[in-house]
Amino acid sequence: MVDQEGISPTSTLHDGSYRATGNWYSSIVVEGDTAVMMHPNGTALDMKLKFGEFGEADPDVAETTSQKFYNIKLSFCFGKEFTELGVVSEDGLRITTKNDIGLSVLDWMSEEEAAALEAKGDPIEDPPGPYKIQPDILGKFLWITGGAGVGKSTSAQLRSKMHGYVYYEGDCFASCRNPYIPLDVQNPSLAQFLQKPLIGEGLEERREVCKRGNEMFGEMMAGGDYDKVKAEEYYEKMCEDIKRERKRIGGDWSIAGVTFGQELRNFIRSKLGPDLVFVVLNMEMEDLKERIRIRHIREEGTVDILMSISRLCEAATEDEENAVNVMITNEMSKEDVISKILDKLNL
């Protein structure tokens, strides 16, 4: 029961599965004060739940829940410690939080509903997207890369909107989601978390590769270097998917995804062929940190993690074939970046 001041007595959760909407994971399974976070790629992370009063709730959360204060803290570790603050509903069947995507809710599910959620998604062999199927036409082949926050996804999306390119989101491969993000979303980087998970034959094999890839990214988030063996296994599997999808759909292509340096880019070229051109977006580190901080305004820990990965990303070298550098500043618009990319590519 909520009192006149909008403060609810400490609520507890029912044990069981909760469907996540508007978050990067798909569900959690609660048992007492612990939970397991489930991701579409099969990754499972242990989560600790703490009940109490944790300060004033975000205005959107307070308006939605009619409660002024957070009453649950969810903690988990992925490279570094992360926490989410939320409001548990009076009946213990919903958690409401706020993240960079917007409001996020966790709703309790029956066992039947949890099984149905697991079986729901887009087909891994031919995920739907807003593109003309023209397999007889294989056009230009770009991979837009760089550190976190430089504008890889935004540039690939705008290239699609302006020039008809197929935009394949590399981060969606890691999360086993549909890689074809709608062209009308405002922030394609964050919209990837709203993409449907993939289902079908071959998913378990991809999940195993992505789990090991996520271990690599977790090590990097903790300040380590990337593991070459894990990286090559992960990117080889992604290249197989890109090659198959490009053959299925055809047309001009722009892939958005981090590739770190020349050695890994050469490996990717060996899998995708000599027609592939890398567009390497670069920024001064202070400008990049400012940009990431604006995107992740509530999560300073996330800023540090993304910066640690970005520092491992290298510009194209002068002797690197089929690769161009594009220097980005915070004063440039999205259209300015595309114009500079076109200039560099002589298109």
Side-chain angles (χ1 to χ4, degrees):
M1 180 177 182
V2 181
D3 68 19
Q4 293 181 351
E5 295 298 323
I7 302 173
S8 175
T10 300
S11 300
T12 57
L13 292 171
H14 287 259
D15 285 351
S17 298
Y18 288 73
R19 176 192 297 106
T21 303
N23 218 318
W24 64 277
Y25 49 88
S26 56
S27 64
I28 66 172
V29 182
V30 173
E31 185 175 352
D33 60 358
T34 63
V36 177
M37 177 194 301
M38 306 302 298
H39 192 276
N41 66 13
T43 299
L45 297 176
D46 291 333
M47 178 181 278
K48 295 179 181 179
L49 309 177
K50 187 174 181 180
F51 302 93
E53 187 179 304
F54 302 101
E56 287 193 21
D58 178 274
D60 290 338
V61 174
E63 181 179 356
T64 300
T65 63
S66 299
Q67 296 188 32
K68 292 184 177 180
F69 295 90
Y70 289 120
N71 59 13
I72 187 172
K73 179 164 68 173
L74 306 90
S75 304
F76 60 94
C77 184
F78 184 64
K80 290 188 177 182
E81 190 78 15
F82 289 86
T83 61
E84 288 187 71
L85 297 178
V87 170
V88 179
S89 62
E90 186 179 350
D91 59 8
L93 297 175
R94 168 174 281 199
I95 306 171
T96 304
T97 67
K98 179 76 176 285
N99 56 37
D100 293 322
I101 305 173
L103 280 176
S104 173
V105 295
L106 289 157
D107 287 309
W108 186 86
M109 299 181 286
S110 67
E111 291 183 3
E112 293 77 15
E113 289 171 326
L117 178 66
E118 180 70 19
K120 187 178 180 181
D122 286 335
I124 193 170
E125 288 299 320
D126 55 350
Y131 304 109
K132 180 180 178 181
I133 305 298
Q134 44 187 347
D136 295 334
I137 301 175
L138 291 182
K140 300 178 182 66
F141 197 15
L142 306 180
W143 189 308
I144 302 176
T145 188
V150 295
K152 303 182 295 294
S153 299
T154 300
S155 297
Q157 182 199 42
L158 194 58
R159 194 92 173 95
S160 181
K161 291 170 70 174
M162 295 173 63
H163 303 284
Y165 277 57
V166 174
Y167 159 36
Y168 180 104
E169 177 53 61
D171 284 349
C172 284
F173 178 84
S175 60
C176 295
R177 297 180 188 269
N178 185 328
Y180 305 120
I181 292 175
L183 300 182
D184 58 352
V185 298
Q186 185 174 0
N187 189 324
S189 295
L190 297 180
Q192 65 177 280
F193 302 122
L194 305 179
Q195 289 293 96
K196 290 183 179 180
L198 297 173
I199 57 172
E201 186 176 352
L203 176 62
E204 289 307 316
E205 181 183 358
R206 183 183 297 190
R207 278 179 166 179
E208 288 302 314
V209 173
C210 289
K211 282 181 186 177
R212 291 189 286 274
N214 279 338
E215 289 174 4
M216 174 190 71
F217 285 112
E219 292 163 2
M220 294 166 61
M221 289 177 179
D225 203 344
Y226 77 89
D227 184 305
K228 180 180 176 182
V229 174
K230 290 179 181 177
E232 289 188 351
E233 179 191 33
Y234 171 79
Y235 280 94
E236 181 173 13
K237 194 68 176 176
M238 186 195 293
C239 287
E240 288 177 8
D241 189 60
I242 291 169
K243 195 171 184 178
R244 179 181 57 78
E245 283 294 288
R246 184 173 180 240
K247 183 179 180 181
R248 178 178 74 87
I249 297 174
D252 297 324
W253 269 59
S254 279
I255 302 154
V258 66
T259 56
F260 303 116
Q262 181 176 355
E263 183 178 20
L264 187 54
R265 289 194 288 270
N266 286 341
F267 176 81
I268 292 170
R269 280 193 197 91
S270 74
K271 303 300 176 183
L272 293 180
D275 292 340
L276 180 65
V277 177
F278 283 99
V279 177
V280 185
L281 305 183
N282 304 289
M283 290 188 75
E284 296 293 342
M285 283 296 160
E286 285 305 311
D287 287 347
L288 181 58
K289 188 171 185 178
E290 179 184 344
R291 177 179 287 200
I292 294 175
R293 183 175 282 126
I294 291 172
R295 179 184 294 179
H296 299 277
I297 193 168
R298 300 174 183 83
E299 304 170 353
E300 189 62 30
T302 300
V303 174
D304 294 337
I305 287 172
L306 294 179
M307 286 300 298
S308 68
I309 292 177
S310 293
R311 291 188 180 95
L312 297 174
C313 297
E314 303 170 355
T317 59
E318 291 185 2
D319 62 345
E320 188 173 348
E321 295 183 3
N322 283 353
V324 297
N325 287 311
V326 177
M327 196 67 189
I328 308 298
T329 68
N330 283 333
E331 289 71 36
M332 295 172 66
S333 68
K334 295 184 292 186
E335 291 76 16
D336 291 337
V337 174
I338 289 296
S339 178
K340 198 167 184 179
I341 290 174
L342 294 178
D343 288 343
K344 285 282 186 174
L345 295 173
N346 296 316
L347 295 176

